Amino acid sequence: MKDKNFLDIINKSTIETAKSLLGMKLVMETDGESQILGNIVETEAYLGTLDSACHSFMGKRTPRNESMYLPAGHWYVYQIHGHFMLNLVTMDEDIPEAVLIRAVQADAPEHDGSGPGKLTKSFGITKEIDGEYFPDSRLTLEVDKTPKEIASRKRIGITCMDEWRDAPLGFYVKGNSQVSRIRKKEILDDDELTWEKPPFQKNKNYLKETIPKA
DNA sequence: ACGTAGATCGCCT
DNA sequence: GGCGATCTACGTA
């Protein structure tokens, strides 16, 4: 078990998991070295057999969505329009619910995590990890930051015509610039302002430096 | 700042 | 053979 907090991550309802994933760190292990990819800033909850926007609606089960039927903590990766989508399974075995990870605030400037297809391409995430249990996978999660404020909205790209289309099952870190399809007016000047842990906790002189002299 | 069209391809019918 | 849990470019205000 690589993450001692993993029970905190998977022992929740799907909506709780979608919210609690905000701020968590994505870490990729390559050639024995851990590389921090960034912090999750946007997720969507997909609520299983009752949810007409979910791949497992009405109990649909095919080789493509088989991983959704695994227990909480397994990765579900599928491809659409030539893009890989990264999801985390959230419930017990045979209860096919999952959270789509839609955007990440990347740690390195050469990476772009501002959309579900963009983040998998930028970080090199492929179907290779589909069905893996995240604590044992090359791609792992770690508890890190907490959002100052979580906002919700309807899910993006949903085409069903019933009440599930507009259900507020999309969650994001309010004000963060890396959230996909967000209005410019909602973005704060500095992404650090969107997290509970402000930068002065990292630098003891921050307050002295930023408070103007009388 | 919005909406829409076209690209594009693996998976399902 | 058709269809997306997308992305980009381009049209219109």
Side-chain angles (χ1 to χ4, degrees):
Chain A
M1 185 186 310
K2 291 170 185 171
D3 185 346
K4 66 182 189 301
N5 296 305
F6 88 110
L7 278 176
D8 294 337
I9 297 172
I10 65 173
N11 205 9
K12 294 174 186 287
S13 78
T14 300
I15 289 175
E16 283 177 305
T17 303
K19 293 182 194 172
S20 64
L21 279 173
L22 296 174
M24 287 194 192
K25 231 170 21 182
L26 269 180
V27 180
M28 178 77 86
E29 300 210 350
T30 317
D31 304 326
E33 285 192 22
S34 293
Q35 184 193 10
I36 298 169
L37 303 182
N39 297 86
I40 297 170
V41 297
E42 182 188 353
T43 59
E44 281 177 358
Y46 285 86
L47 302 184
T49 58
L50 298 175
D51 180 355
S52 56
C54 184
H55 290 162
S56 59
F57 179 54
M58 304 276 287
K60 184 176 172 190
R61 183 168 185 163
T62 68
R64 177 169 87 134
N65 72 354
E66 185 61 32
S67 297
M68 287 192 94
Y69 289 79
L70 293 170
H74 285 81
W75 293 122
Y76 167 43
V77 180
Y78 67 92
Q79 198 170 21
I80 190 164
H81 285 79
H83 301 273
F84 291 108
M85 300 288 119
L86 176 65
N87 301 252
L88 189 68
V89 180
T90 52
M91 302 295 280
D92 290 338
E93 186 169 11
D94 290 332
I95 301 180
E97 303 189 17
V99 170
L100 169 65
I101 296 173
R102 276 195 62 92
V104 169
Q105 182 186 322
D107 255 41
E110 65 266 27
H111 285 147
D112 179 6
S114 64
K118 289 195 263 191
L119 76 89
T120 53
K121 186 182 180 193
S122 189
F123 298 144
I125 296 167
T126 68
K127 230 179 149 44
E128 189 187 326
I129 62 158
D130 178 57
E132 290 186 359
Y133 189 48
F134 89 81
D136 302 326
S137 174
R138 283 177 51 220
L139 183 67
T140 61
L141 286 166
E142 291 177 22
V143 174
D144 190 28
K145 297 178 177 178
T146 305
K148 190 168 281 181
E149 187 177 350
I150 295 174
S152 64
R153 60 175 170 179
K154 62 181 171 185
R155 295 171 291 184
I156 289 171
I158 304 302
T159 53
C160 63
M161 292 306 283
D162 55 20
E163 69 272 20
W164 289 96
R165 188 178 64 155
D166 298 323
L169 296 174
F171 304 96
Y172 59 96
V173 179
K174 193 166 186 182
N176 194 284
S177 69
Q178 299 304 291
V179 176
S180 70
R181 306 215 203 163
I182 203 70
R183 285 192 301 276
K184 222 169 187 179
K185 275 197 86 169
E186 268 193 72
I187 300 175
L188 298 180
D189 295 335
D190 187 344
D191 285 335
E192 288 301 328
L193 297 173
T194 68
W195 301 108
E196 195 62 63
K197 235 190 279 183
F200 55 73
Q201 288 191 355
K202 293 177 184 168
N203 177 358
K204 289 175 184 170
N205 294 319
Y206 178 84
L207 280 176
K208 289 181 193 169
E209 289 163 7
T210 51
I211 294 174
K213 285 174 181 138

